Amino acid sequence: MTEILVSEDNDRFERLDEGKWVNGRFDKNIRIDQPTHGVGQTHAHVYGRKGDEIGVVNIDGSSSHGTQCRLSDADADALRNRGFTIRAGNIVEWIVLGTQPQLLLG
């Protein structure tokens, strides 16, 4: 297996993990990516027929990258078959929380 390592300073390296393309409503229109930099969730970029991005959904069904969308039944089923939790109605929403209290130490 070939691995690609990238570095900005030749001191620290990260493995480059390219996404896995899967079929949904169209041939290979969904790219499943692993979390970057060890944080976040596995997520999927869903594309339309002309290659435009419809939305990005986390494995828990929440939105990623600030997108909101409604997935087609075929795209939602393809993601469910790969362990994604997609809500009824195939709705993927981004929820903005109000300002949270902060504790300042100093």
Side-chain angles (χ1 to χ4, degrees), residues 3 10-11 15 19-20 25-27 35 44 50-51 53 56 59 61 73 75 80 91-92 95 100 103:
E3 290 186 345
N10 289 328
D11 187 34
R15 188 178 72 210
K20 177 181 179 177
R25 168 171 59 147
F26 306 111
D27 186 42
K50 297 181 181 179
E53 188 173 77
V56 186
I59 196 158
D73 290 339
D75 291 340
R80 286 184 186 107
I91 302 294
V92 179
I95 299 171
Q100 299 296 312
L103 174 62

Side-chain angles (χ1 to χ4, degrees), residues 7-94:
S7 175
E8 293 181 4
D9 59 10
N10 289 328
D11 187 34
R12 294 176 300 168
F13 293 86
E14 294 181 31
R15 188 178 72 210
L16 177 63
D17 292 317
E18 293 191 14
K20 177 181 179 177
W21 289 94
V22 298
N23 296 337
R25 168 171 59 147
F26 306 111
D27 186 42
K28 296 184 180 177
N29 72 305
I30 300 172
R31 188 185 77 224
I32 300 175
D33 294 340
Q34 297 305 313
T36 56
H37 310 293
V39 296
Q41 301 182 48
T42 298
H43 60 280
H45 295 257
V46 181
Y47 296 91
R49 177 187 354 241
K50 297 181 181 179
D52 53 319
E53 188 173 77
I54 294 170
V56 186
V57 58
N58 288 316
I59 196 158
D60 70 359
S62 64
S63 174
S64 184
H65 304 301
T67 63
Q68 296 183 16
C69 63
R70 181 168 187 205
L71 301 172
S72 71
D73 290 339
D75 291 340
D77 288 343
L79 291 172
R80 286 184 186 107
N81 288 336
R82 285 163 179 81
F84 282 72
T85 302
I86 306 298
R87 292 179 21 190
N90 304 336
I91 302 294
V92 179
E93 295 181 304
W94 181 260

